[in-house]
Amino acid sequence: MELTETFLQLILTLDMTVRLSVVLILACLAGLFSERAGIVDIGLEGKMLIAAFFSAVAAYHSGNAWIGVLAGIAASMTFALIHGIASIAYRGNQLISGVALNFLASGLTVVIGNAWYKEGGRTPPLAGEARFSEITLPFADLIRDLPVIGPLYADVISGQKAIVYLAFLVVPLTWWVLFRTRFGLRLRAVGENPASVDTAGISVNRQRYAAVLIAGVLCGIAGAYLATSQAASFGREMTAGRGYIALAALIFAKWRPFYALMACLLFGLLEAISNLYPNIDVFGIFSIPVQFTQALPYILTVVILAGFIGKAIPPKASGEPYIKER
Amino acid sequence: MANDSVLGRLTDAAPAIELRGITKSFGAVEANKNISLKVSKGTIHGIVGENGAGKSTLMSILYGFYKADAGEIFINGRKTPIPDSQAAIAAGIGMVHQHFKLVENFTVLENVILGAEDGALLKPSLAKARAVLVDLAREYELEVDPDQTIENLSVGHQQRVEILKALYRQADILILDEPTGVLTPSEAEHLFRILKNLRDQGKTLILITHKLKEIMNATDTVSVMRRGEMTATVKTADTSPGELAELMVGRKVLLRVDKKPAATGKTVLEVRDLKVKDSAGVERLKGISFEVCAGEILGIAGVAGNGQSELLEVLGGIASASGSVRINDHQLDLTGRYSDGQSRRARGISHVPEDRQRLGLIMDFMAWENACFGYHHDPKYQKNPLMMDNGAILADTEQKMQRFDIRPPNPRLPAHSFSGGNQQKIVLAREIERNPDILLVGQPTRGVDIGAIEFIHQQIVALRDAGKAILLVSVELDEILSLSDRVAVMFDGRIQGERITAETDEKELGLLMAGMNVEAA
Amino acid sequence: MDKIPRWADIFLVPFINLVLAFAASGLVVLAIGENPFDAIYYMIRGALGSTSGLGYTLYYATNYIFTGLAVAVAFHARLFNIGGEGQAAVSGIGVAVVVLAFDWPHWALALPFAIIGAGVMGAAWAFIPAYLQAKRGSHIVITTIMFNFIGAALMGFLLNGILKNPNTQNAESIGFGPGAHLPTAHEVLAPLGIAFSKSAPLNISFLLALLCAAGVWFLLWRTRLGYQIRAFGQSEAAAKYAGISSVKIIILTMLISGALAGMLSINVVMGEQERLIKEFVEGAGFVGIAVALMGRSHPFGIVLAALLFGMLTQGGFELLWEMPAISREMVLVIQALIILFTGALDNMVRDPVEKLFRRIRKGRI
């Protein structure tokens, strides 16, 4: 009895972990593309936020969640392009550009949201086709009753929303693109030693723009997931620092796709725990305050960045604008 | 036989490369002034000139890295505009840069195909490159392990990868910019064998260097550049090093430094079994021992990257180490609280670092702020325990500028607006005027014009004659030979041999630099 | 020779940046369906049109001077402190504890101790990110942001727990005693025969802000510590050569930065609210980034930029009355655009200006 109860809790926690880690995975891979090409992207947060807003708006008015995703991607790519222009064409400080875009996103979403819907920045709730629904994988109901495997397949692996599966597919895809294609070779070269690409007669800037825009697409999907899958409308500051946590996960993963997946699942698990068990009782002696469990993902981010994980060496040229030497 | 065919080609009608009236300026600086040049097919053409004479700029234009303001380029008699590197590669031009353009964590194969891939997927390109590399290796003595990552290759092998990159792109014209700067004499010899091999197969090579000996040994024809202008083009056989030197500088050069015999005193610096590991855990100094006495200059010779920089960094308090270092019989702290630059200065060690722009100066600080850099704790620069005495520092800087003839003598200019020689004088003035017990000086004349070189050498010798100990690190063997009283040669983190300067010569030191064991005479 | 004259570097380029940022903001206003010129008019009238408006403008400017200086000091050591928000919030605890601990007889006695309380708590909140950056190389941008979140959680915990006023539903402390009341502009100016709005929260903290600005200038360009901070910020490698300890500089700079951010709670918690509430910083920590960038990290520039942002904030509130379609986050948009144009897109303006001056010079010769 006790055991099955615990097991059900575990299934519930794992299911939530998967749901919550999707945003982190997509954002983390976005950061991976960008930083592997030498552009530091602290603006993952802002891109996701603006994408979440416009995807909610588009989904609401069109009644179609996929149109919402496209709108989110478009909004996020616009921000990515601004970041690209600032840091590639005008050799600006990439940190400052990212921070500015984050502020711009938190301001714009509320200003526009208020002007259009007058609900304190919220967008109207999404229902029906405007939201993604859960996809039941084949045989889910059939094997549900099998011990362990059954619930794991039926409730954790099956029954997720489309973007969840997409996110988990993007991980191997990212690996393949980076390490098996010409595009990936050049992208990594640009992040390590842009001069090597430049002397080969290939545009460093074009390669970097491509990477930044891919980051825009992935953040767009992440933001759309927040507003149309995880929640059912846009709410102000709904990204809640996940863009920064994704960056910490990226460092933790040492800029490698599969490690990034693991790191994001870990953070997702943490968030799931703090959502499911806000008041953890320690042997009935005292209960951990809810504020602490809420702050737990942030605290762990700091702990991980403190480098109790070995040394993380970023791509050599990351953060440096490329200027031909004289 | 081979020589005849080379001379025959010299008179061929269409030159492989012809430049007409190339002009290029960066802001107010005219790097290339109306330069014309013809290089015949199948020859090795040398270009010599001082630092900043415009050699690299000219070659960067030929390689499409910069666009010329005016002028035309002809390849094999046909006018060929080269707006970018892609056009240069298409015209059959390849370049081996002074600083290699390799991706360090890529394999040799990946570096070779980068930018010359055959399709969107890597697999076929990698397979093709592997086959081509085997052929090239056989043809030109260019063996290198295709699956090794660059960071695990020696510098000489990295250079081969650069050459292979160009040949893989089917270059007929190969430009090499200061290719021997990082090579041991034997590696350099191997390189020149490769180059002659390439020439005999009909390739055209341009060799940029400031080493006259290489020009004499390796080239068929040579051009001299000075201050952005091409001052002469001659057949190598018809000229001499002396003549070339004069053409480079524009006047007769004093290649030797006048100095009295050393009057050595007691030991000032004593180094025993010094070991250093870098951040990756690789041992850079593998237990070296030596001493320097008052009133002598100990020169540390060696090819760059054999531990000289680490040695200076340890003694200057930048890196930590194990072993023992004593200054005037005082044991130095090599790892703890007192292993920093401040503690070293307090012990009477002054340090003119190898890379003055990165370490010795803050380029955006004004000259006066730089003139107290590292000595900002000195009581004479303080107004009170909290404040610095900016007035006193300014006055002090003005004096230094006068004594060291630093131009322009304006202490309020930022360091980046001084020439290389004057920047170096700012550092030297700061370090020498401390009246140290020992002066550490690295690459004192790198990137410095000839006039300032003489002055800097005189200052170093004068400090020696004042009874100070001097540790001189230089990759220029000529500089080592003309300044130092004793020479220690470093190779692979060890001292390969130590000689009295007067009792050795370039050849012996060259063998030591290559890691050979040579019995002292 | 420098590429452009000093005046162009200090005034012309930032001015053009600012104009561009405002133009972009105008587009946003236009998109919402309001007239941007009307908006500007309402904002200026609201910010400067009355002593009440002016009092609010200077009150906000006081906050921004503190946070702007905090960001700028860190910038000089090439550290990007985005944690001003959290440092300021947590410093409120220091003020509250000091003020509530005693029954202060006079504000002049309470103020120095409150300053210490605020400074110590602000510095403490900057210390861990600083220490981790110095010792372990942890990305200070991310850690300071995380500490903003953690700080908010801490405030929530304390204000719902031991610091909570039991007589109210809200998460806030009990009110401060009258002995800790800081003189407002009205009280200071009235004896001099100057009538100043009674409602405006402007208080003597404004003078403290100006004092801090002067102090930061003195620190950076007159003291040995300032010299070392600037040297370290310009070149970490050279600083090491000179024997400047990176650990010491990073930590000291961040402590100073955090303490400066903490001064904000003197103005808000002690000067205006006279109790500790949960969200009293209201984004001022982030505005500090824009202020520091606009002010080119120079205290004088920061004071000017802070005044501008004070006007924006106060004018923005007035705007809400006149144009209900616009929300107060409009100020955040303008601020973001200013950071973007002055901080990241600076070369977009600088390159053409440099070209222009080169042409002018050539024309003269």
Side-chain angles (χ1 to χ4, degrees):
Chain A
M1 183 63 208
E2 181 82 356
L3 204 67
T4 40
E5 178 65 19
T6 313
F7 181 70
L8 282 180
Q9 288 289 333
L10 186 69
I11 290 291
L12 190 64
T13 311
L14 287 181
D15 178 39
M16 195 147 190
T17 301
V18 169
R19 284 161 203 265
L20 290 174
S21 59
V22 166
V23 175
L24 295 174
I25 292 169
L26 289 168
C28 192
L29 293 176
L32 192 137
F33 270 103
S34 192
E35 300 210 348
R36 277 282 190 166
I39 304 289
V40 169
D41 195 353
I42 209 111
L44 299 172
E45 179 89 357
K47 283 200 280 280
M48 288 197 287
L49 193 63
I50 199 85
F53 176 76
F54 279 104
S55 69
V57 169
Y60 173 70
H61 289 287
S62 69
N64 184 327
W66 286 107
I67 291 186
V69 173
L70 289 182
I73 290 175
S76 168
M77 284 181 80
T78 310
F79 267 45
L81 189 63
I82 297 175
H83 186 55
I85 290 171
S87 41
I88 301 166
Y90 292 113
R91 313 172 306 281
N93 185 316
Q94 296 167 12
L95 290 178
I96 291 175
S97 167
V99 167
L101 289 172
N102 289 344
F103 290 166
L104 190 60
S106 28
L108 269 185
T109 49
V110 180
V111 167
I112 301 176
N114 251 342
W116 287 352
Y117 307 109
K118 303 189 174 51
E119 285 181 44
R122 291 201 83 76
T123 59
L126 304 174
E129 289 292 299
R131 264 196 100 195
F132 280 98
S133 50
E134 282 144 16
I135 296 172
T136 307
L137 294 183
F139 315 118
D141 290 324
L142 209 67
I143 64 168
R144 181 183 297 278
D145 295 330
L146 288 178
V148 185
I149 292 282
L152 211 56
Y153 180 75
D155 293 328
V156 179
I157 297 176
S158 171
Q160 302 289 1
K161 292 169 181 177
I163 295 180
V164 178
Y165 299 109
L166 183 68
F168 280 87
L169 284 179
V170 174
V171 178
L173 185 68
T174 300
W175 175 86
W176 184 78
V177 167
L178 279 180
F179 297 102
R180 286 293 176 269
T181 69
R182 172 177 63 190
F183 177 81
L185 183 77
R186 292 179 178 183
L187 187 139
R188 286 183 290 130
V190 152
E192 288 288 335
N193 183 2
S196 71
V197 174
D198 196 11
T199 49
I202 289 160
S203 164
V204 172
N205 288 358
R206 200 177 306 159
Q207 205 67 41
R208 287 190 161 173
Y209 273 118
V212 165
L213 288 176
I214 291 174
V217 172
L218 293 174
C219 283
I221 301 173
Y225 176 81
L226 267 179
T228 62
S229 295
Q230 199 164 314
S233 75
F234 174 83
R236 55 193 300 169
E237 303 293 343
M238 78 184 303
T239 43
R242 288 189 182 85
Y244 303 110
I245 293 178
L247 278 181
L250 182 60
I251 295 170
F252 191 24
K254 299 180 181 166
W255 295 267
R256 290 176 294 192
F258 286 106
Y259 288 77
L261 174 66
M262 296 302 153
C264 292
L265 283 171
L266 175 66
F267 276 109
L269 174 68
L270 222 62
E271 205 183 333
I273 291 173
S274 77
N275 278 3
L276 288 170
Y277 316 104
N279 285 300
I280 300 173
D281 238 32
V282 182
F283 308 120
I285 303 166
F286 76 109
S287 71
I288 292 172
V290 55
Q291 289 91 357
F292 179 79
T293 24
Q294 277 168 356
L296 207 56
Y298 308 120
I299 294 173
L300 187 80
T301 304
V302 174
V303 170
I304 278 180
L305 285 176
F308 299 114
I309 41 134
K311 200 165 182 177
I313 301 162
K316 259 195 208 124
S318 98
E320 297 290 323
Y322 179 61
I323 302 163
K324 283 191 183 190
E325 57 194 273
R326 262 189 62 180
Chain B
M1 252 317 267
N3 233 3
D4 276 357
S5 66
V6 167
L7 287 177
R9 281 199 289 273
L10 281 177
T11 53
D12 261 4
I17 307 163
E18 183 177 358
L19 305 178
R20 286 189 199 161
I22 299 285
T23 298
K24 172 78 184 171
S25 38
F26 295 104
V29 183
E30 262 192 295
N32 285 162
K33 295 181 213 168
N34 193 23
I35 287 182
S36 297
L37 172 71
K38 281 184 197 170
V39 179
S40 305
K41 201 168 156 42
T43 61
I44 301 180
H45 184 90
I47 297 184
V48 282
E50 280 194 80
N51 283 311
K55 300 166 296 190
S56 293
T57 304
L58 185 65
M59 289 306 116
S60 293
I61 289 170
L62 184 54
Y63 190 64
F65 223 52
Y66 298 133
K67 242 177 271 179
D69 301 336
E72 292 173 335
I73 299 170
F74 292 80
I75 304 293
N76 296 323
R78 197 174 322 135
K79 185 174 166 183
T80 314
I82 301 183
D84 52 36
S85 301
Q86 204 131 41
I89 293 167
I93 301 172
M95 183 151 178
V96 176
H97 296 265
Q98 185 178 1
H99 304 288
F100 303 149
K101 310 291 182 188
L102 298 170
V103 183
E104 296 229 313
N105 60 357
F106 279 17
T107 64
V108 171
L109 274 184
E110 286 175 321
N111 269 289
V112 166
I113 64 166
L114 179 64
E117 309 89 343
D118 289 313
L121 297 184
L122 292 182
K123 222 175 187 171
S125 308
L126 289 170
K128 180 185 151 196
R130 189 182 295 279
V132 173
L133 250 48
V134 171
D135 288 346
L136 289 174
R138 204 177 37 228
E139 219 171 325
Y140 302 110
E141 289 187 68
L142 280 165
E143 295 86 3
V144 51
D145 177 3
D147 296 311
Q148 194 57 261
T149 46
I150 297 299
E151 55 203 358
N152 295 331
L153 292 180
S154 72
V155 181
H157 278 76
Q158 291 184 11
Q159 191 172 54
R160 285 187 204 173
V161 178
E162 283 285 17
I163 296 173
L164 285 169
K165 265 167 71 180
L167 295 178
Y168 185 74
R169 288 161 175 75
Q170 293 173 332
D172 283 321
I173 298 164
L174 196 60
I175 306 165
L176 297 109
D177 190 0
E178 301 280 2
T180 59
V182 288
L183 301 183
T184 63
S186 74
E187 281 176 319
E189 234 163 76
H190 186 109
L191 171 71
F192 288 125
R193 257 202 327 275
I194 295 170
L195 297 188
K196 285 183 178 157
N197 211 338
L198 285 165
R199 174 194 63 191
D200 294 341
Q201 307 273 342
K203 309 267 184 203
T204 309
L205 298 117
I206 296 186
L207 175 67
I208 302 172
T209 180
H210 65 279
K211 295 179 184 165
L212 298 176
K213 221 166 300 157
E214 290 173 2
I215 291 288
M216 299 310 294
N217 290 344
T219 66
D220 301 308
T221 50
V222 55
S223 297
V224 182
M225 288 191 73
R226 186 172 81 222
R227 289 189 194 155
E229 287 179 280
M230 195 72 94
T231 49
T233 298
V234 289
K235 278 187 190 164
T236 310
D238 299 345
T239 186
S240 68
E243 188 190 11
L244 289 176
E246 211 179 313
L247 284 166
M248 268 167 66
V249 185
R251 64 187 162 91
K252 296 254 183 213
V253 197
L254 191 69
L255 284 173
R256 284 273 158 186
V257 180
D258 281 327
K259 62 176 208 253
K260 296 180 289 191
T264 45
K266 65 182 180 67
T267 302
V268 175
L269 172 70
E270 186 188 293
V271 174
R272 288 283 168 268
D273 198 30
L274 196 65
K275 290 180 181 164
V276 174
K277 278 189 184 147
D278 67 11
S279 57
V282 178
E283 205 162 54
R284 293 295 179 175
L285 287 185
K286 301 174 179 172
I288 67 170
S289 307
F290 63 87
E291 51 230 30
V292 190
C293 301
E296 76 161 345
I297 299 176
L298 174 68
I300 304 278
V303 176
N306 278 295
Q308 304 96 310
S309 306
E310 287 78 5
L311 175 62
L312 281 180
E313 283 179 1
V314 167
L315 297 177
I318 299 173
S320 50
S322 68
S324 146
V325 178
R326 298 173 76 83
I327 294 276
N328 292 328
D329 291 331
H330 177 90
Q331 189 78 35
L332 288 187
D333 179 3
L334 295 180
T335 49
R337 269 194 72 192
Y338 298 103
S339 65
D340 67 332
Q342 288 300 330
S343 312
R344 293 292 195 271
R345 287 177 179 82
R347 281 282 153 215
I349 303 174
S350 277
H351 179 192
V352 177
E354 291 183 299
D355 188 342
R356 63 179 160 271
Q357 300 203 340
R358 203 175 70 86
L359 294 182
L361 293 166
I362 303 272
M363 297 307 280
D364 280 345
F365 269 20
M366 289 179 277
W368 69 270
E369 288 175 299
N370 273 305
C372 66
F373 189 53
Y375 302 98
H376 47 275
H377 287 279
D378 191 315
K380 78 174 179 183
Y381 294 144
Q382 315 300 319
K383 196 174 258 174
N384 55 45
L386 195 65
M387 291 171 71
M388 294 179 76
D389 191 344
N390 294 355
I393 303 171
L394 266 168
D396 181 59
T397 309
E398 272 169 1
Q399 280 180 9
K400 285 191 169 104
M401 292 186 121
Q402 206 167 25
R403 266 201 294 274
F404 277 74
D405 188 29
I406 296 166
R407 277 178 278 187
N410 179 357
R412 286 193 163 84
L413 283 179
H416 61 69
S417 57
F418 290 88
S419 72
N422 282 300
Q423 285 174 7
Q424 184 70 319
K425 284 187 191 172
I426 294 175
V427 179
L428 266 175
R430 180 180 76 207
E431 302 302 329
I432 286 181
E433 299 233 326
R434 298 304 302 182
N435 200 19
D437 292 335
I438 177 160
L439 178 74
L440 313 172
V441 48
Q443 320 299 348
T445 55
R446 180 185 278 171
V448 167
D449 43 295
I450 291 251
I453 289 178
E454 287 182 40
F455 181 85
I456 289 168
H457 283 174
Q458 283 160 11
Q459 294 301 319
I460 293 173
V461 172
L463 194 68
R464 175 198 79 155
D465 292 343
K468 309 298 180 184
I470 289 166
L471 182 73
L472 164 76
V473 170
S474 176
V475 292
E476 301 287 343
L477 205 45
D478 288 340
E479 185 164 68
I480 294 279
L481 284 169
S482 56
L483 280 181
S484 36
D485 303 302
R486 278 189 304 131
V487 188
V489 179
M490 284 189 71
F491 175 77
D492 193 26
R494 291 196 178 84
I495 290 191
Q496 192 72 15
E498 212 184 292
R499 298 287 185 273
I500 310 282
T501 312
E503 295 167 7
T504 185
D505 58 17
E506 212 157 305
K507 198 169 152 209
E508 189 187 20
L509 294 179
L511 289 173
L512 289 168
M513 282 164 70
M516 315 284 232
N517 287 311
V518 184
E519 287 298 313
Chain C
M1 211 38 226
D2 285 328
K3 284 173 187 161
I4 54 174
R6 219 172 125 73
W7 65 269
D9 180 39
I10 296 175
F11 294 106
L12 184 61
V13 174
F15 179 74
I16 299 174
N17 287 330
L18 199 61
V19 170
L20 288 174
F22 275 112
S25 312
L27 290 179
V28 175
V29 174
L30 211 57
I32 298 174
E34 296 283 354
N35 182 335
F37 294 100
D38 287 350
I40 292 177
Y41 168 74
Y42 292 134
M43 285 178 86
I44 292 179
R45 194 188 63 183
L48 304 173
S50 62
T51 60
S52 162
L54 185 66
Y56 271 101
T57 295
L58 292 177
Y59 166 76
Y60 292 122
T62 307
N63 286 343
Y64 302 154
I65 293 174
F66 288 133
T67 54
L69 291 172
V71 175
V73 167
F75 268 159
H76 276 282
R78 199 154 290 177
L79 295 165
F80 197 176
N81 177 14
I82 310 195
E85 193 75 9
Q87 289 144 19
V90 170
S91 72
I93 299 168
V95 171
V97 166
V98 166
V99 173
L100 292 172
F102 300 97
D103 193 6
W104 295 95
H106 193 267
W107 66 267
L109 201 63
L111 183 60
F113 289 95
I115 288 176
I116 292 172
V120 166
M121 286 305 286
W125 212 240
F127 174 74
I128 298 174
Y131 178 84
L132 292 178
Q133 170 80 58
K135 286 283 195 185
R136 326 241 0 155
S138 316
H139 207 310
I140 202 162
V141 172
I142 304 179
T143 51
T144 50
I145 290 171
M146 292 300 118
F147 265 73
N148 289 341
F149 288 111
I150 300 170
L154 177 69
M155 293 289 283
F157 173 64
L158 291 177
L159 288 173
N160 285 305
I162 48 172
L163 282 179
K164 184 169 165 41
N165 179 356
N167 302 323
T168 153
Q169 289 295 315
N170 303 333
E172 61 179 52
S173 76
I174 56 170
F176 297 168
H181 169 76
L182 292 181
T184 63
H186 170 79
E187 291 157 13
V188 173
L189 295 174
L192 305 173
I194 304 169
F196 201 89
S197 162
K198 217 170 174 171
S199 64
L202 177 64
N203 61 72
I204 56 155
S205 304
F206 181 62
L207 299 180
L208 177 66
L210 295 181
L211 213 63
C212 283
V216 165
W217 176 84
F218 182 82
L219 167 76
L220 288 173
W221 284 283
R222 283 296 176 272
T223 69
R224 195 168 60 235
L225 178 62
Y227 175 87
Q228 296 180 77
I229 289 174
R230 289 185 297 121
F232 176 79
Q234 292 281 346
S235 166
E236 209 175 323
K240 179 139 205 211
Y241 156 80
I244 297 170
S245 154
S246 63
V247 173
K248 182 180 127 189
I249 294 299
I250 290 174
I251 291 179
L252 278 181
T253 306
M254 282 300 287
L255 290 181
I256 293 169
S257 177
L260 282 166
M263 292 304 112
L264 177 138
S265 57
I266 298 293
N267 188 36
V268 180
V269 177
M270 196 175 177
E272 151 76 349
Q273 296 285 345
E274 305 200 339
R275 72 207 149 109
L276 183 62
I277 60 170
K278 193 163 172 252
E279 270 154 13
F280 68 89
V281 187
E282 294 187 298
F286 297 128
V287 179
I289 298 166
V291 168
L293 285 171
M294 273 266 8
R296 289 287 189 268
S297 294
H298 191 286
F300 184 69
I302 286 168
V303 170
L304 289 185
L307 289 174
L308 175 79
F309 274 95
M311 284 170 61
L312 272 177
T313 310
Q314 167 55 15
F317 280 124
E318 287 299 307
L319 197 57
L320 299 185
W321 292 102
E322 305 287 346
M323 294 181 173
I326 294 180
S327 34
R328 49 168 302 198
E329 278 74 12
M330 188 63 215
V331 178
L332 188 61
V333 172
I334 299 176
Q335 167 199 328
L337 288 167
I338 290 178
I339 297 178
L340 188 66
F341 280 98
T342 53
L345 288 167
D346 188 53
N347 284 329
M348 188 170 78
V349 172
R350 193 170 292 271
D351 290 349
V353 168
E354 272 176 15
K355 211 172 269 177
L356 185 73
F357 274 99
R358 216 174 295 146
R359 201 170 297 164
I360 292 173
R361 250 183 228 146
K362 266 193 188 154
R364 264 191 211 145
I365 294 164

